[in-house]
Amino acid sequence: MPRLSAVGISGLQAGEDVKHRKASKDEGDDLLALFEQGRHADAETKARLWTEDYPHDVFGWKILGAILTTTQRHQEAISVLETALMLSPEDAECLNILGTALEDGGRPEEAGVFYARAARQAPGFVAAFYNLAKLLQRLGRLDEARFYFEHALSINPLHLKSLNNLGSLLRDLGCTQEALDCYRRALAINPSQPEALTNLGNLLLSLGQLHEALECQKRAARLQPGYPEILSNLGNALQHLGRLDEALEVYRQALTIRPDDTSIHSKLLFTLNYHPDQSAEQIFSAYQEFDRRFGAPHRPRRPPPASDRDPDRRLRIGYVSPDFRCHSISHFLEPVLAHHDHQSFEITAYAELTREDRLTALYRGLVDRWVPTHGLSDDALAERIRADGIDILIDLAGHTAGNRLGVFARRPAPVSVTWMGYGYTTGLSAIDYFLTDTIMAPAGCEPLFAERLWRLDAPIGVYRPVSDMGEAGPLPALTHGTVTFGTLTRHVRLNHHVIRVWSEILRRLPTARLIIDSKDFATETVQQQLAERFAAHGIEPTRLSIGYHSPPWDVLRAMDIGLDCFPHNSGATLVESLYMGVPFITLAARPSVGRSGSSVLTGAGHPEWIAASEAEYVDKAVALASDLEQLAALRSRLRADFEAGPWRDEAGFVRRVEQAYRQMWQLWCKTEPAT
């Protein structure tokens, strides 16, 4: 009798052939052929007849269980496979398939037990070790998962799925070179493997190898057309290169195939924020569509949170984030958590992490409760938050990777807020407040937000600098005799409006230079293409310094004046610029992502560097560059002024935020209880 095929079941492989007293080899071949061809209805009919004709033959029950598992009928599959195991309790294949049915049916812990039993019964059974490793990876137990992937590869060094998944695991562990090696080993075995190609492309993208990443994703999309994950990854590569219309088209194509994929929709919305030619109203309409598709369906399922409506009691605050780790948000989030009043507020961190690092340990020590959320469904996490009695739940991710907006759509807490990690509306009407300031969200912009705007005075944050930034140093122009402009922005912000305006500044100041530095400009190809865009406006490549340096402190020390992008401003790098003595010019564009630069400058006491038009932007940059004495004086005092201002008043800012939380809660206490 032939072996069971791996077709249709993740990692399914056969053990020993099964002998039958009455069934013929041809009958078994026919049944397996139907299964492998994906003719599941016909295969199921034959398998059921097999179990009727040969009820004591484990083969029929086993393949029927495999068919039911493949067609997502998990409970039926579990029952059938339990029958098979009564006939053959040590059958490694049955144990493995039952593990798959349990895992797909939402019972991962039980699945792991059966994968482990299958592996013990058949030490050379690669599929069992692979499935166990994959499950552990999904559960965030990465070190254990790595052990079992490596064990599977010790049995079969050519096992492509193990190589591919091990590469992804190593990437999550920060073992970049080892991850690259895994993907390239997989592609050496099979150059046309779309999974390895798309994963390699993702890793190259994170390393700033943008064009190589794009080519990987294009090849993967050609090899496996119409696959939503690969299309989404292709869209990511296009977005990083600033090819926004192409990226949006690819995301939309992916959504036509998988319309209920929230992560792809989030990527589309994230990309729209950067579009230089769409209006704020057009962009917000896409966010409203997100709410209709992914928010509104959960409204009837929201039970009213049970909570004590005492307006003055100790409040339970929950922060939800995938970034409780080494991430740029730490400079703004760490001081908030460090200064919370734990007598008045109990703080819980809901951490959506695939791995922890040195900053994770710090965050753990700053909160009252730490709840890992990776692997929990939206329903499960919403129930956990309700059980924890959270009063105010705060989203710190928006539509960035790893967000848990699906949880917020289920309204697990009386009050919900979005803040800090995204800069614009979530689109979810289920979230009560968008915490912002009066500059980022000026009066009149309320129709562009799904949430109610809760405004504080600018800035809407505090900043804790890293210890190794060093001094600002003297003004470079005094040494070089010419002004150097600069930016640490990503490629996606450098649209045709920005290139034209910056080129005009350089034309007005014929000896001035421009530094553009970030990971997106790590390769010569990207550097050359960007230089060509400036050349089209008459700017010679010799006046540009395009590259990537990390950390960027010496790059900032080489700048005299910073230039902010628009209509989507930069973020943390603007605050870093001021701390390093570098003033910058910003254009107040659409709320709120187009006014973060204005908020930074207002909070630092320099609203005079905010422009209201492109022409004014150019004039302000030229005027600032034309007075080196003033620039040198600014350089010498900007950090001290920054240190003395609201951006560094950690305790004072947190008191203002806590006051806002208290007022939000008091407003909720005045509302009529839901019935």
Side-chain angles (χ1 to χ4, degrees):
M1 187 63 58
R3 299 184 177 199
L4 288 178
S5 166
V7 173
I9 300 291
S10 175
L12 178 62
Q13 295 181 351
E16 295 300 319
D17 293 349
V18 181
K19 297 179 181 177
H20 306 282
R21 289 189 302 276
K22 297 181 180 179
S24 71
K25 180 179 184 301
D26 288 344
E27 287 177 307
D29 286 342
D30 290 345
L31 178 51
L32 285 169
L34 290 171
F35 179 54
E36 292 182 343
Q37 292 163 12
R39 296 169 59 186
H40 296 138
D42 293 337
E44 182 180 346
T45 299
K46 283 185 173 291
R48 290 190 183 279
L49 288 171
W50 193 295
T51 61
E52 292 173 7
D53 293 341
Y54 316 113
H56 300 293
D57 184 349
V58 71
F59 173 78
W61 296 102
K62 181 160 52 176
I63 195 167
L64 178 58
I67 294 164
L68 293 169
T69 302
T70 302
T71 54
Q72 304 294 302
R73 290 141 68 189
H74 306 120
Q75 196 52 51
E76 289 181 76
I78 291 167
S79 178
V80 165
L81 291 163
E82 287 172 343
T83 300
L85 284 171
M86 285 191 289
L87 296 170
S88 182
E90 310 304 328
D91 188 303
E93 280 190 331
C94 278
L95 292 165
N96 187 54
I97 302 168
L98 180 53
T100 302
L102 288 164
E103 182 180 358
D104 291 350
R107 296 159 65 180
E109 298 295 341
E110 295 172 76
V113 172
F114 283 94
Y115 291 145
R117 283 181 58 188
R120 283 196 300 270
Q121 289 300 321
F125 190 11
V126 172
F129 288 101
Y130 166 77
N131 283 339
L132 179 57
K134 186 161 60 69
L135 175 63
L136 290 165
Q137 182 181 22
R138 170 189 162 192
L139 295 174
R141 295 161 61 179
L142 301 189
D143 290 330
E144 296 170 84
R146 178 176 183 174
F147 173 83
Y148 286 109
F149 278 133
E150 290 175 344
H151 186 77
L153 288 166
S154 73
I155 301 169
N156 179 8
L158 304 182
H159 194 248
L160 290 173
K161 289 184 176 180
S162 289
L163 277 171
N164 192 42
N165 281 273
L166 178 58
S168 298
L169 183 150
L170 289 166
R171 179 187 172 184
D172 287 341
L173 287 172
C175 304
T176 302
Q177 189 55 54
E178 292 176 78
L180 285 170
D181 291 343
C182 276
Y183 295 142
R184 285 173 173 150
R185 279 171 58 194
L187 290 169
I189 296 167
N190 179 7
S192 298
Q193 187 191 11
E195 294 87 354
L197 277 168
T198 196
N199 286 338
L200 176 60
N202 290 341
L203 182 51
L204 291 170
L205 194 68
S206 73
L207 296 173
Q209 310 292 312
L210 304 190
H211 283 91
E212 287 183 66
L214 179 60
E215 288 308 308
C216 285
Q217 303 299 358
K218 284 181 174 178
R219 283 179 59 199
R222 286 195 296 268
L223 288 165
Q224 196 160 351
Y227 197 69
E229 284 87 350
I230 292 176
L231 287 170
S232 177
N233 292 336
L234 173 59
N236 297 346
L238 290 164
Q239 182 240 91
H240 271 74
L241 282 163
R243 294 162 61 172
L244 302 187
D245 287 321
E246 294 172 80
L248 291 168
E249 177 58 33
V250 170
Y251 291 141
R252 290 183 177 116
Q253 184 182 346
L255 286 170
T256 62
I257 302 163
R258 188 177 293 166
D260 295 329
D261 193 311
T262 57
S263 66
I264 297 174
H265 208 123
S266 282
K267 290 174 182 178
L268 184 147
L269 296 177
F270 180 90
T271 303
L272 277 172
N273 284 354
Y274 293 90
H275 203 289
D277 298 316
Q278 291 204 21
S279 69
E281 290 75 16
Q282 288 174 305
I283 293 169
F284 181 58
S285 69
Y287 281 81
Q288 292 175 302
E289 174 60 25
F290 178 85
D291 192 34
R292 283 191 291 271
R293 186 175 296 184
F294 303 113
H298 296 289
R299 285 176 190 151
R301 298 168 55 190
R302 296 178 195 147
S307 191
D308 178 1
R309 287 176 176 260
D310 180 350
D312 300 314
R313 66 171 171 81
R314 188 186 189 211
L315 295 181
R316 292 178 289 270
I317 308 295
Y319 289 101
V320 184
S321 176
D323 299 322
F324 291 114
R325 56 185 173 85
C326 291
H327 186 276
S328 59
I329 199 175
S330 65
H331 306 299
F332 306 90
L333 179 57
E334 180 188 335
V336 171
L337 297 182
H339 286 277
H340 263 311
D341 174 8
H342 291 265
Q343 296 298 314
S344 301
F345 300 91
E346 178 185 275
I347 308 300
T348 300
Y350 294 95
E352 181 67 15
L353 299 175
T354 55
R355 68 182 176 98
E356 299 186 359
D357 57 27
R358 60 177 180 81
L359 273 185
T360 305
L362 184 149
Y363 282 125
R364 278 178 177 269
L366 295 176
V367 299
D368 298 295
R369 285 191 294 180
W370 180 269
V371 180
T373 63
H374 183 68
L376 290 179
S377 69
D378 287 341
D379 283 326
L381 180 52
E383 287 305 317
R384 171 61 194 265
I385 291 166
R386 288 190 185 100
D388 289 341
I390 296 299
D391 300 310
I392 302 178
L393 191 68
I394 298 151
D395 161 56
L396 297 175
H399 287 279
T400 59
N403 75 74
R404 298 307 303 261
L405 291 179
V407 173
F408 283 82
R410 289 157 171 80
R411 285 196 69 90
V415 179
S416 55
V417 183
T418 184
W419 176 40
M420 194 181 299
Y422 189 57
Y424 187 42
T425 183
T426 62
L428 289 178
S429 55
I431 296 181
D432 299 297
Y433 298 108
F434 182 89
L435 188 58
T436 184
D437 64 38
T438 55
I439 304 302
M440 288 186 70
C445 71
E446 289 81 3
L448 300 175
F449 292 81
E451 311 85 0
R452 177 181 171 184
L453 296 174
W454 193 287
R455 298 178 177 94
L456 302 180
D457 292 335
I460 187 60
V462 282
Y463 172 73
R464 182 176 289 184
V466 297
S467 59
D468 65 347
M469 296 175 76
E471 297 301 319
L475 187 73
L478 296 179
T479 301
H480 304 306
T482 184
V483 168
T484 301
F485 294 95
T487 180
L488 301 179
T489 193
R490 293 183 293 117
H491 198 304
V492 67
R493 293 189 179 95
L494 295 182
N495 57 70
H496 58 97
H497 297 289
V498 171
I499 299 293
R500 184 186 68 251
V501 167
W502 290 0
S503 296
E504 176 61 21
I505 293 169
L506 294 176
R507 281 197 299 270
R508 293 264 299 269
L509 299 166
T511 63
R513 297 178 64 255
L514 174 62
I515 296 173
I516 301 174
D517 199 279
S518 77
K519 187 186 292 185
D520 286 352
F521 305 105
T523 64
E524 289 186 9
T525 303
V526 179
Q527 294 166 11
Q528 182 178 344
Q529 289 185 349
L530 181 59
E532 289 171 355
R533 294 174 69 188
F534 279 94
H537 292 275
I539 305 303
E540 298 176 356
T542 54
R543 300 182 65 190
L544 305 172
S545 177
I546 307 172
Y548 172 52
H549 299 82
S550 181
W553 317 134
D554 287 338
V555 178
L556 285 170
R557 268 185 282 272
M559 297 179 191
D560 298 293
I561 301 170
L563 296 178
D564 193 12
C565 302
F566 52 89
H568 193 305
N569 297 161
S570 295
T573 59
L574 298 178
V575 184
E576 292 168 349
S577 296
L578 294 181
Y579 190 76
M580 293 298 291
V582 181
F584 66 86
I585 306 298
T586 191
L587 173 61
R590 59 179 177 242
S592 52
V593 294
R595 292 174 178 261
S596 59
S598 301
S599 172
V600 171
L601 288 177
T602 301
H606 289 286
E608 70 273 17
W609 301 331
I610 302 170
S613 67
E614 292 181 4
E616 188 180 5
Y617 184 107
V618 174
D619 289 341
K620 284 181 178 291
V622 171
L624 199 56
S626 300
D627 189 341
L628 295 189
E629 184 177 345
Q630 179 195 14
L631 265 184
L634 279 170
R635 183 74 158 216
S636 66
R637 70 170 190 268
L638 204 49
R639 178 177 293 188
D641 291 347
F642 187 88
E643 284 283 3
W647 272 109
R648 295 289 290 124
D649 181 14
E650 296 180 355
F653 176 73
V654 175
R655 295 291 84 77
R656 290 196 292 134
V657 170
E658 289 179 340
Q659 183 181 30
Y661 292 166
R662 178 64 64 183
Q663 291 170 343
M664 292 173 189
W665 175 251
Q666 289 170 344
L667 284 173
W668 183 82
C669 288
K670 294 177 182 177
T671 62
E672 290 296 322
T675 56

